[in-house]
Amino acid sequence: MTIEQSADRPDDEEHPREKQRGPVVLRRSRREEDTTTDQRLLDSRGPADWVHTDPWRVLRIQAEFVEGFGALAEVPRAVTVFGSARTGRDHPEYQLGMRIGAALADAGYAAMTGGGPGVMEAVNRGCSEAGGLSIGLGIELPFEQGLNPWVDLGVNFRYFFTRKTMFVKYAQAFICLPGGFGTLDELFEALTLVQTKKVTKFPVVLFGRSYWGGLYDWVHDTVYKEGKIGEKDMALLHVTDDVDDAIRVVEEAYQAWIEVH
């Protein structure tokens, strides 16, 4: 089910539309207006008394970090996988996501996604059905989405920046399947963290040459050749069409990290 379909689906007794507010789920008459905590925090418009409530939000943000750290602290080695929420179950990329999730489970990694539909669901499903630990980190959105049914361990977040911290802190690598703005956002944030050595031994795999090839060529032919990044920065990206190759990159980086630590 796509995001649009989820948002437009009418209520029924067994599947009522819902609104997530952090860990709280609101259904039927309890659903609120279509705004999110992130939006209300970042939007400077509105009455002046909004400013006076910001200090209290610090406690909510702190609580969200505590919840995330507590839920994920004992997670074994994991790989974060990103991809489009709009990918249908009959799409080849959905099947690919299931294969990657299963391969991660077979290699002893937990698979961590945004917990939504599409590619995220496929990865969680493949990992869970292969006997691995399937993790979903959801986010409050203005449209109803919810965690997909193949998430074994799920945490819902109000704030994107809290959620992003969990994606990086508890993963040994990123694998990016074809996706939109959210996937691109996570991709370049991960590259920046590695480039600036905020995280170490953290490979970023772009899966799908036909999808990512144009971006990779632009980064190499424009950004790199104009001196905006260095040769080592280009080496942070690995483009592949092979599941075994992606797992190899993840495993080699993890073993290198183990040697250092």
Side-chain angles (χ1 to χ4, degrees):
M1 179 180 293
T2 66
I3 289 175
E4 290 84 354
Q5 289 171 327
S6 176
D8 296 336
R9 174 173 53 77
D11 287 309
D12 60 56
E13 286 301 317
E14 293 188 19
H15 304 95
R17 293 173 64 188
E18 63 183 38
K19 172 74 174 180
Q20 289 187 358
R21 191 180 63 197
V24 179
V25 176
L26 302 170
R27 291 175 173 162
R28 300 181 181 88
S29 62
R30 301 299 299 176
R31 292 176 63 244
E32 298 176 325
E33 72 282 357
D34 288 338
T35 62
T36 67
T37 308
D38 256 340
Q39 179 184 342
R40 295 190 295 273
L41 171 67
L42 298 174
D43 195 343
S44 60
R45 295 170 296 176
D49 62 352
W50 173 253
V51 177
H52 303 302
T53 65
D54 281 346
W56 292 103
R57 288 196 181 86
V58 174
L59 297 178
R60 176 176 286 175
I61 292 167
Q62 182 184 46
E64 200 158 274
F65 275 111
V66 171
E67 287 285 349
F69 292 156
L72 301 172
E74 297 182 2
V75 166
R77 57 184 186 168
V79 173
T80 297
V81 186
F82 292 105
S84 176
R86 302 175 185 233
T87 302
R89 291 179 178 175
D90 58 347
H91 196 285
E93 289 171 5
Y94 188 94
Q95 302 304 316
L96 176 60
M98 289 187 62
R99 288 174 54 205
I100 290 175
L104 289 171
D106 291 342
Y109 292 90
M112 185 156 50
T113 79
V119 167
M120 293 176 283
E121 175 186 288
V123 173
N124 286 135
R125 181 177 181 177
C127 180
S128 182
E129 291 182 349
L133 176 58
S134 173
I135 302 171
L137 306 184
I139 184 69
E140 176 186 296
L141 294 172
F143 35 78
E144 299 77 13
Q145 184 168 311
L147 295 175
N148 69 69
W150 283 277
V151 168
D152 300 322
L153 171 60
V155 184
N156 283 312
F157 292 91
R158 291 182 171 93
Y159 301 101
F160 268 110
F161 56 84
T162 313
R163 181 179 181 238
K164 286 180 177 180
T165 300
M166 306 303 158
F167 278 137
V168 176
K169 180 175 176 59
Y170 294 103
Q172 274 68 50
F174 273 179
I175 297 178
C176 295
L177 277 77
F181 285 156
T183 302
L184 292 170
D185 174 49
E186 299 292 356
L187 164 63
F188 283 105
E189 179 156 18
L191 291 172
T192 301
L193 291 172
V194 179
Q195 181 195 47
T196 56
K197 300 188 184 302
K198 297 295 184 181
V199 295
T200 57
K201 302 295 183 185
F202 199 97
V204 179
V205 178
L206 301 179
F207 205 101
R209 291 182 183 276
S210 63
Y211 189 85
W212 296 109
L215 175 65
Y216 182 89
D217 290 343
W218 174 77
V219 172
H220 180 272
D221 297 341
T222 301
V223 184
Y224 169 64
K225 287 189 175 180
E226 290 192 7
K228 304 300 190 293
I229 61 174
E231 185 174 350
K232 290 183 178 179
D233 300 325
M234 280 303 307
L236 298 176
L237 285 169
H238 183 84
V239 187
T240 186
D241 287 317
D242 184 76
V243 174
D244 292 336
D245 184 43
I247 300 301
R248 177 191 60 80
V249 171
V250 170
E251 185 64 17
E252 288 181 355
Y254 178 73
Q255 292 303 323
W257 182 85
I258 289 293
E259 292 177 5
V260 173
H261 294 77

